[in-house]
Amino acid sequence: MTGTTESGAAEAVSRPRKSSWKYIGPGIVVAATGVGAGDLVATLIAGSKFGYTLMWAAVIGCAVKISLAEAAGRWHLATGRTLFEGWRSLGQWTTVYFAIYVVVWGFVYGATAMSSSALPVVALFPDGPGLKTWAIIMGLIGLAFVWFNQYAVFEKVMTVLIGVMFVVVVYVALRVGPDVGASFAGLLPVLPDGSLLYTLGLIGGVGGTITMAAYGYWVNAKGWTDTGWMKVMRLDNRVAYITTGVFVVAMLIVGAELLHSSQLALTKGDRGLIDLGTVLEDRYGTVTAKLFLVGFFATSFSSLIGVWHGVSLMFADFVERLRRDRGGAPVDEGTVEEVAAGVKERSLPFRAYLLWLTFPPMALLWLDQPFGLVVVYGVLGAFFMPFLALTLVWLLNSSRTPAEWRNGMLSNVMLVAAGLLFVVLCVQQLRELFE
């Protein structure tokens, strides 16, 4: 018999794949996107203030992120529906929140990402164009790259960028000479005076952005659309956040060894990495400093193109969901196959959001960010991670998810703990905004 029945084909599609390193991809993308220059500075500052004492918080942070990203990926594979479709099923309020969030967040983030990518380029080529010019160039390169390439090429470039990040960050950590004994001692949970907010930031901050919600979309874009890919996705996800953990630990080591002992302070935000480049040049010479700036660029630019691609995918899904609702399409009509086929990457909403991330934010490069916009951006951003964690708990414990793939005890504990952690961080961010 040469033919294949429909049921046989369906069974072949859903048959579990053996987890293998050769499939790794979306995890690399989410790790490269989620770790930005600002995250590395925050980790450096924690290391400079408390040495190795908060190493344990970095480890817990990785476990929290693994749980969150696994939940997002599991929803996509188990239900055949995208995360936004899941949010939409929880009520109209999710659509209103996401609509405001994705517009305001994208406007402010676009300028931030372009400036962050331009900073190391200006430092590497001080006689070239200024920061604003390089920022515009970075935005246009990111736009062109994502516009004309689909997921497969995007993933390969992100893999190269994270490889550069990994080599540079680990090299710098080894160059400053880690104290192995103190590193292991730092795995014992302790809270020095004044360290609570730094601890919460380490657990919740690095790699914890909207890109975690985009992970499920990248899983589908890779071609994984059903439960047969569940084991592969879980391996991929663990690789992502173990890699992120290596970055965090390495930057804590640099902060502890290079800054803590000499009581050096960094500028907050992305410019802190320029300060670190200067310190490295004074201590270890020009080659190490230049290499670090290359790693800084890889960190920033990978976040830029990662957001340009991943959040545009989410926005395209958001618009498609609204269109289908108005057209009377079934609520449970899935779109993961469209993501896998690259349909959304060629869609008008995807490209419209790419343009939104690139051109309007350029105006902010010449303006101090208006106070009202900064407040709205901060409030919406503070609420996103609690929103993600708690809606995943809701979705994955309900009949919306097939019984076999609903949360177990460990997943519920980790997601609820993550939700509570992000609520605390949300409150703290709001307090800082209005002080």
Side-chain angles (χ1 to χ4, degrees):
M1 182 176 179
T2 58
T4 303
T5 65
E6 286 189 15
S7 60
E11 184 180 351
V13 168
S14 61
R15 184 180 300 126
R17 270 73 171 181
K18 184 178 179 181
S19 58
S20 170
W21 294 99
K22 70 180 181 180
Y23 292 125
I24 298 302
I28 297 297
V29 172
V30 79
T33 307
V35 180
D39 296 312
L40 295 186
V41 172
T43 308
L44 277 169
I45 291 174
S48 70
K49 287 181 176 293
F50 304 105
Y52 292 94
T53 310
L54 300 182
M55 190 75 75
W56 62 273
V59 174
I60 291 177
C62 286
V64 168
K65 306 305 185 324
I66 287 172
S67 299
L68 275 166
E70 187 275 339
R74 176 156 45 97
W75 166 264
H76 278 245
L77 296 181
T79 65
R81 300 168 66 191
T82 62
L83 186 54
F84 186 77
E85 289 179 288
W87 287 337
R88 186 73 182 84
S89 73
L90 299 179
Q92 187 69 27
W93 64 276
T94 59
T95 301
V96 173
Y97 169 75
F98 186 78
I100 299 171
Y101 173 81
V102 79
V103 171
V104 176
W105 182 88
F107 182 50
V108 179
Y109 180 83
T112 303
M114 287 186 273
S115 294
S116 179
S117 298
L119 274 171
V121 180
V122 172
L124 283 166
F125 305 103
D127 297 327
L131 180 65
K132 292 182 179 67
T133 302
W134 274 119
I136 291 171
I137 292 170
M138 291 299 105
L140 293 176
I141 291 173
L143 170 68
F145 173 74
V146 176
W147 188 288
F148 292 108
N149 292 291
Q150 290 192 275
Y151 178 79
V153 175
F154 166 69
E155 182 188 287
K156 287 181 174 64
V157 171
M158 292 292 272
T159 301
V160 171
L161 290 172
I162 201 170
V164 172
M165 291 165 59
F166 191 92
V167 169
V168 169
V169 169
V170 171
Y171 166 75
V172 172
L174 293 174
R175 192 79 169 85
V176 302
D179 184 330
V180 177
S183 299
F184 280 106
L187 297 175
L188 182 66
V190 293
L191 276 177
D193 290 342
S195 68
L196 178 59
L197 293 180
Y198 290 97
T199 303
L200 292 175
L202 272 180
I203 296 173
V206 180
T209 66
I210 193 173
T211 54
M212 299 193 68
Y215 178 64
Y217 289 85
W218 285 323
V219 163
N220 293 152
K222 180 74 170 175
W224 308 345
T225 58
D226 56 51
T227 56
W229 292 101
M230 198 70 76
K231 286 185 178 180
V232 176
M233 181 275 292
R234 285 170 168 163
L235 174 64
D236 178 77
N237 176 45
R238 288 193 290 271
V239 169
Y241 285 100
I242 289 171
T243 303
T244 301
V246 171
F247 291 141
V248 177
V249 168
M251 295 310 277
L252 269 176
I253 289 170
V254 174
E257 293 294 338
L258 197 61
L259 306 176
H260 181 65
S261 57
S262 54
Q263 297 298 303
L264 294 173
L266 296 181
T267 305
K268 287 186 178 181
D270 300 347
R271 290 184 181 274
L273 293 184
I274 298 295
D275 295 347
L276 180 60
T278 303
V279 174
L280 288 171
E281 184 168 11
D282 291 343
R283 295 282 185 92
Y284 304 107
T286 302
V287 173
T288 297
K290 297 293 185 186
L291 183 63
F292 175 74
L293 289 172
V294 170
F296 177 4
F297 171 76
T299 300
S300 298
F301 192 67
S302 63
S303 293
L304 185 153
I305 61 173
V307 166
W308 263 229
H309 186 275
V311 184
S312 296
L313 265 182
M314 294 182 70
F315 181 78
D317 186 44
F318 163 70
V319 173
E320 179 66 13
R321 179 73 269 166
L322 293 183
R323 186 189 66 78
R324 290 184 178 184
D325 285 349
R326 291 196 181 101
V331 173
D332 62 349
E333 183 177 333
T335 57
V336 295
E337 290 82 8
E338 294 173 7
V339 178
V343 173
K344 293 195 185 300
E345 291 169 279
R346 297 187 294 270
S347 69
L348 179 61
F350 180 90
R351 290 180 168 175
Y353 194 73
L354 272 178
L355 296 173
W356 174 253
L357 281 168
T358 307
F359 290 107
M362 289 179 182
L364 294 181
L365 298 174
W366 275 270
L367 300 171
D368 290 330
Q369 295 175 9
F371 176 74
L373 182 61
V374 171
V375 169
V376 174
Y377 171 76
V379 170
L380 291 169
F383 274 106
F384 184 79
M385 291 306 287
F387 169 79
L388 175 62
L390 298 175
T391 53
L392 283 171
V393 172
W394 190 346
L395 290 170
L396 292 167
N397 283 288
S398 71
S399 59
R400 297 173 181 83
T401 304
E404 179 185 358
W405 302 108
R406 289 177 197 163
N407 277 358
M409 180 66 73
L410 179 60
S411 292
N412 278 324
V413 168
M414 293 300 292
L415 288 177
V416 170
L420 294 175
L421 165 70
F422 292 126
V423 166
V424 173
L425 287 171
C426 173
V427 171
Q428 177 58 30
Q429 284 179 263
L430 295 179
R431 286 179 57 190
E432 290 177 358
L433 277 172
F434 294 105
E435 280 180 356

